[in-house]
Amino acid sequence: MLRTRGPRRTITALAIAAAAALAAPTNAVAQPAPVLPEGLNIEALASLAPAIIGAAAGPSDIAGGPQADLLAQARTLLESSNLPESTKATLARVITFLDGSGGGGPELPPQTGPVIAQFLYPTLGKGCISATADSVGTALAVPGPAHLPPPGPKAGQAGFVFTALGTKKPAAVQPTPLTVSWVNIDNQKSATQNLTAESKINPDGPATLSAIADTGRGRVLAVISGSLTTQAEGAAPITCSFLPTVGMVVVP
C-alpha cells in the first residue's frame, strides 16, 4: 500500500468540504476581460490552493482509516453543495488525486509526444493587459523525460509552463516573480521555484514563463501564483498578480 499523508489528507478534506459548503458566488472578472468558462468560480478555487499545498506538505501516515472517511465525507458535501458543476468537478479531482482512487493523477494523452497535464483551472490577473483589461493565465506540467519546456525535464523531473494570455513579453526584471510551489506526495520532496523567461518560449509575447523541478518520481501537486511584469516596446512596464491555480502530474 502506498504511504500517504493522513494528517495532510484530513486537513485537505476539511478545507475542501468547508469551501464547498461556505463559498459564495463572486464576480471574479472585471470588464473588459477575456471570456472564462461559464460558471467557473476562480476566487473560490484559488482560496483552496494555499490550504491544499500546505496540507500536502504535512507529515506522513498510512492510508486508510478515519482519513479515508473524511475524504468520503468531503465528496458527499461537494455533491450536495450549491457550487457550479465545473467547480465541484475540479475539487473532486483534487480529492481523487490525493486519495489515489483514480489511479493517482489526471488523464494524460497518449505518449506519442510530450505528455502534458493541464492545471485544473485557468487563473486571472487583474489589469495585466491594461488598466481596464485582465489576463487569463493558463498553466501546465510536463513530466520528464521530455523536450519541453527547454532544455527539457529529465527523468525524475517535471517542467512547469505558465502563459498570461493577451500580454506583451516579460520585462527583463521581475521585481516580484511568479512562482511554482510543488510537493511530491509520495517521496516528500517539496520546493518553491521562480518561473522565468530563460526558455524563451513566445519571446515576443504573450508572456510565457517556465521552470524545471527535481521532483523525483511520484504524484506531484503544484500551485502557481504571484506577480508578473510585462513591457511593450517603448511603454512603461505593467505589473499584476495572478490568483493561485492548482496542478497535478505523475512523474513516472
Side-chain angles (χ1 to χ4, degrees):
M1 181 178 292
L2 286 176
R3 288 185 60 84
T4 56
R5 304 181 181 198
R8 159 181 60 76
R9 295 186 302 132
T10 301
I11 296 170
T12 302
L14 292 175
I16 293 172
L22 300 177
T26 57
N27 181 11
V29 182
Q31 297 296 329
V35 176
L36 291 166
E38 183 178 356
L40 182 65
N41 190 327
I42 293 180
E43 291 181 358
L45 291 169
S47 68
L48 286 176
I52 291 171
I53 199 70
S60 301
D61 203 348
I62 300 297
Q67 291 76 29
D69 293 338
L70 282 170
L71 287 174
Q73 292 171 21
R75 288 186 187 277
T76 301
L77 281 172
L78 278 178
E79 291 171 0
S80 60
S81 73
N82 293 324
L83 287 173
E85 289 301 320
S86 60
T87 303
K88 290 196 290 186
T90 296
L91 298 181
R93 287 180 65 191
V94 175
I95 300 176
T96 299
F97 184 83
L98 291 172
D99 70 12
S101 63
E107 294 182 3
L108 298 175
Q111 297 191 30
T112 56
V115 175
I116 296 174
Q118 295 284 347
F119 271 48
L120 291 173
Y121 55 91
T123 182
L124 188 72
K126 295 291 187 72
C128 285
I129 298 175
S130 70
T132 58
D134 306 331
S135 170
V136 173
T138 64
L140 57 86
V142 182
H147 297 297
L148 298 173
K154 300 176 182 178
Q157 294 182 324
F160 298 96
V161 181
F162 182 90
T163 301
L165 301 177
T167 62
K168 302 300 182 182
K169 65 182 181 181
V173 176
Q174 297 288 320
T176 52
L178 203 67
T179 63
V180 55
S181 295
W182 57 267
V183 56
N184 186 320
I185 62 178
D186 291 317
N187 67 15
Q188 317 296 310
K189 288 185 177 182
S190 64
T192 295
Q193 299 177 222
N194 291 347
L195 295 169
T196 73
E198 293 178 2
S199 60
K200 301 186 186 304
I201 303 173
N202 300 329
D204 298 323
T208 301
L209 307 179
S210 66
I212 294 177
D214 292 319
T215 60
R217 298 177 60 187
R219 294 171 292 164
V220 177
L221 184 68
V223 173
I224 289 179
S225 63
S227 298
L228 170 66
T229 300
T230 60
Q231 187 166 20
E233 193 71 29
I238 296 176
T239 298
C240 64
S241 295
F242 281 89
L243 291 169
T245 181
V246 179
M248 307 180 298
V249 65
V250 178
V251 178

